[in-house]
Amino acid sequence: MRDVIVVGAGGGGPVVAKELAARGLDVLLLEAGPDRRRAPERLTRLENDANNPLGGYYRFGPGDRSRPAWRREQPQNSAISQVAGVGGTTQHYFANSPRAMPGVFEGYEGADKDAYDVAHRFPLSYRELLPYYEWVETTLPVGTAPMGTKEEVFFRGAEAMGLPLQTSKDITRAAFRPQQNAILEPRGEAGRTSDPSRIRFPRAQGCTFCGHCNEGCVQPQQAQRNLIAKRSTDVSYVPMALTSDLWSKGGKPITLVPDAFATKVLTDAKNVARGVTWRDTRTGSVQSEEARVVVLACGAIESPRLWALSGLPDPYQQVGAGLTDHFVDAVIGVMPFDTRSSRGPSSAARADFPGRGMMINVGVGPAFMAAILATSDAGIAGIYDNGLPGGAHGADSVGRLVGKQLVGILDNIDRLLGIGVFTDDDVEARNRVMLSNTMPPDEHGAVPRVLINGRQRSKRTVDNREFLVAQAVRLLRGAGATKVVRINTPPWLFHLHSTMRMGRTEQSAVLDPYGEAHHVPRLFVADNSMLSNALGGPNPTLTTQALATRAAERVFTRYFGGDPWVGREAPVPSTHPLVTKGTVLRQL
């Protein structure tokens, strides 16, 4: 019997595995997708080869790409951006790691306290979570983002709007700032040249400004795996968990099993979790193993699906309900000068608006930018629309671009400045994940049905989106844009959370304030689904990782009689050679 089985090696699972292995527990980490750490040279960095949701190497499907992706039912016009494999969706995320807005937590008394989803606050205080934020920020590490020209342009636009510069991580006012992200700062030749011979480790360290965050970081060349610039969990927490006996006295390395799709959580007659059954996606064989504690970290779609497939109790119909996804939009500005949009980290600047959400600069390759520009819920710009209630907010057009319009804007991608809008959206029970009753089961059981009522959001959520779009247009005009396009993005689900919410009562939430299931003792959740709300708009990964650290501590102290400080090393000092102060690089 294992001490702990963790299901899912994405953003949260490896955090739990590393923290418990460091304390000497026997941990089995299961991952449905492949382990790409063994062959990073297969990452081509070709945009379609990486990001195609059906056949790309970053998809939700088996490692053998000759086989189809795993199915989901999406009864509305929508797309889901999610990755299977060791590292999960952190393999192609932008690594943005801001803290949640303090106003989404219990006990907050700031001036904006009523601007959030007050019915679904986190059942803990912001101050209570701070030590766990700091621990994750030190471990990854998280620091001021490496910045370039596109960030300078974004900051100029924010200053022209009259926004102040935010100098702390605690967001309680509208302001702009560099991102806090999990990308190592450039050192040596990194970020100063594109000559392959000069961006090899150790001559180059940290971010090389290659511009391929979304296609998977393999820079700098010849660096050992745990020194790759972008700190996805496959290069940070997973290596630490696999070598915990070396870096922590009394630690024990985890057992990592990729290509292992969990199909059932095992329980005893009293509904106490006691193990997991999984299917080998390569051979089709099925096996089970028992454990004293089970932790689900499969994501906001697969964790509620696994719960339902396992027949676990859900007396108040909370499992899968209340999916939040940051009602997104995109606003693109055309500049009369070079922004270096396709160079460097995909997003290294942001502006936050408490109670409303956030907007970030987005610099991606031409294929991804074309997908953004050509995907809309408002029809073809200048030809027809479907009655977008908010209008253009001063943009020159609303809707997707086609033909000469699209080619014209993409003619020089490095004269664009893209802004992504992410709202603070309300938890709504009708936005949910459930088992499909129309699509046939796949090899793992009933497939999930992901329901997003995109045009039936709460008034507050819709108002937040329109407010943020208006701010994005203002910023781009202030930065000097000669043309601004509002896309009116359809449901493109980047940030999925809240389907297994934490809460004080079993009537209103699936999990208790420590991430343990109200109705299934010894079963914890440690992925984005555990988030009580939409965080005020910020990217979810850092908060999930902080809560996962806290959940691991609870597992250790409650079920293994441990001291919470056992297994913790001293924090990495600020003089660590891979942690430097943020700087704006003059790129070549």
Side-chain angles (χ1 to χ4, degrees):
M1 175 182 284
R2 302 276 183 176
D3 289 328
V4 179
I5 297 177
V6 179
V7 184
V15 175
V16 174
K18 171 259 183 187
E19 294 294 341
L20 294 179
R23 291 162 169 81
L25 300 190
D26 181 8
V27 180
L28 172 64
L29 177 59
L30 304 175
E31 168 53 45
D35 185 359
R36 297 184 186 88
R37 298 174 313 114
R38 300 171 182 172
E41 69 279 0
R42 295 180 184 174
L43 305 186
T44 64
R45 300 198 298 178
L46 300 175
E47 291 183 82
N48 187 61
D49 190 38
N51 301 315
N52 187 304
L54 297 179
Y57 57 77
Y58 281 162
R59 62 174 184 159
F60 187 72
D64 180 358
R65 286 201 279 163
S66 67
R67 297 165 57 193
W70 294 317
R71 297 196 305 274
R72 275 85 177 267
E73 182 191 355
Q74 296 160 243
Q76 67 283 310
N77 174 31
S78 61
I80 298 172
S81 181
Q82 195 172 38
V83 179
V86 176
T89 309
T90 68
Q91 294 171 98
H92 83 163
Y93 80 148
F94 290 174
N96 298 339
S97 300
R99 298 174 182 176
M101 293 184 183
V104 304
F105 293 90
E106 184 178 86
Y108 179 73
E109 292 296 331
D112 58 327
K113 66 179 180 180
D114 296 324
Y116 303 90
D117 184 354
V118 297
H120 300 94
R121 292 194 194 275
F122 276 89
L124 68 156
S125 70
Y126 182 71
R127 181 177 295 276
E128 187 176 351
L129 194 58
L130 273 178
Y132 302 96
Y133 272 137
E134 292 169 348
W135 184 253
V136 176
E137 289 164 349
T138 298
T139 302
L140 279 170
V142 171
T144 304
M147 292 171 284
T149 306
K150 64 182 184 293
E151 285 73 35
E152 289 185 281
V153 176
F154 183 97
F155 295 152
R156 284 204 303 269
E159 287 178 327
M161 293 171 60
L163 286 176
L165 171 65
Q166 180 71 21
T167 56
S168 77
K169 299 177 183 179
D170 307 323
I171 301 303
T172 57
R173 64 171 182 166
F176 74 93
R177 57 176 170 152
Q179 293 277 17
Q180 288 290 301
N181 72 13
I183 298 178
L184 298 180
E185 284 282 351
R187 294 173 60 85
E189 296 288 334
R192 304 184 184 279
T193 177
S194 58
D195 181 351
S197 67
R198 295 169 59 191
I199 54 173
R200 299 180 184 277
F201 188 87
R203 186 172 180 177
Q205 298 179 28
C207 180
T208 64
F209 274 67
C210 73
H212 286 286
C213 293
N214 218 54
E215 288 74 59
C217 186
V218 294
Q219 298 292 340
Q221 297 175 33
Q222 297 184 342
Q224 62 194 63
R225 195 71 183 140
N226 66 336
L227 293 180
I228 294 296
K230 190 180 75 172
R231 311 304 290 161
S232 51
T233 55
D234 56 310
V235 304
S236 54
Y237 276 95
V238 169
M240 284 186 271
L242 289 168
T243 58
S244 62
D245 59 327
L246 302 178
W247 61 264
S248 178
K249 183 178 180 180
K252 184 174 185 178
I254 67 166
T255 301
L256 171 64
V257 180
D259 306 298
F261 200 114
T263 56
K264 188 174 184 179
V265 175
L266 305 176
T267 57
D268 63 17
K270 296 182 178 180
N271 279 322
V272 177
R274 64 175 182 83
V276 176
T277 296
W278 69 91
R279 178 182 178 274
D280 188 309
T281 64
R282 296 166 300 174
T283 67
S285 64
V286 175
Q287 52 190 306
S288 300
E289 194 155 346
E290 294 192 344
R292 295 172 65 184
V293 172
V294 175
V295 180
L296 302 187
C298 319
I301 296 175
E302 294 301 321
S303 283
R305 178 198 187 189
L306 182 55
W307 182 292
L309 289 175
S310 304
L312 300 179
D314 182 22
Y316 299 102
Q317 302 299 297
Q318 292 295 318
V319 173
L323 174 64
T324 59
D325 66 319
H326 291 160
F327 196 18
V328 302
D329 208 343
V331 185
I332 312 298
V334 180
M335 300 294 171
F337 49 80
D338 199 332
T339 64
R340 300 284 204 260
S341 176
S342 65
R343 317 283 181 86
S346 295
S347 179
R350 66 186 295 113
D352 297 285
F353 299 86
R356 296 286 196 171
M358 67 170 187
M359 56 188 188
I360 62 175
N361 75 321
V362 177
V364 292
F368 202 99
M369 182 59 75
I372 293 172
L373 290 166
T375 308
S376 174
D377 252 356
I380 299 174
I383 298 178
Y384 67 90
D385 62 54
N386 59 15
L388 179 67
H393 295 294
D396 296 293
S397 65
V398 178
R400 63 190 179 97
L401 303 183
V402 298
K404 292 182 179 180
Q405 290 187 84
L406 179 61
V407 173
I409 281 193
L410 287 175
D411 184 57
N412 190 340
I413 193 171
D414 281 331
R415 287 201 168 192
L416 302 182
L417 184 65
I419 293 182
V421 161
F422 297 80
T423 69
D424 178 31
D425 45 311
D426 287 327
V427 172
E428 298 180 73
R430 58 189 173 180
N431 291 340
R432 63 182 303 129
V433 176
M434 62 191 82
L435 297 183
S436 174
N437 57 9
T438 58
M439 290 184 69
D442 65 13
E443 61 269 36
H444 306 117
V447 301
R449 186 174 194 254
V450 183
L451 181 61
I452 297 291
N453 288 300
R455 296 180 183 159
Q456 300 177 44
R457 306 270 185 169
S458 73
K459 183 180 184 303
R460 187 181 80 91
T461 299
V462 173
D463 288 348
N464 284 349
R465 189 183 193 228
E466 298 307 312
F467 171 86
L468 293 168
V469 167
Q471 303 312 305
V473 174
R474 287 182 61 203
L475 187 149
L476 290 169
R477 294 295 190 197
T482 57
K483 182 176 183 179
V484 177
V485 177
R486 178 189 181 176
I487 302 303
N488 188 34
T489 305
W492 197 341
L493 311 183
F494 293 102
H495 299 163
L496 292 160
H497 25 62
S498 306
T499 54
M500 306 282 281
R501 292 189 310 282
M502 301 169 62
R504 290 284 180 191
T505 68
E506 60 187 37
Q507 291 85 359
S508 63
V510 180
L511 310 174
D512 73 10
Y514 292 93
E516 185 171 11
H518 283 298
H519 296 287
V520 186
R522 295 180 180 263
L523 178 63
F524 287 74
V525 175
D527 57 38
N528 288 357
S529 69
M530 74 190 300
L531 302 179
S532 299
N533 52 50
L535 303 177
N539 314 68
T541 305
L542 180 72
T543 299
T544 291
Q545 292 175 329
L547 289 168
T549 303
R550 185 170 178 268
E553 185 176 275
R554 179 70 165 183
V555 169
F556 185 58
T557 57
R558 181 169 189 175
Y559 291 111
F560 297 93
D563 180 336
W565 291 100
V566 171
R568 286 198 176 187
E569 302 292 328
V572 179
S574 59
T575 54
H576 190 283
L578 292 178
V579 182
T580 65
K581 293 181 179 180
T583 182
V584 175
L585 294 181
R586 300 293 177 180
Q587 298 156 267
L588 300 179

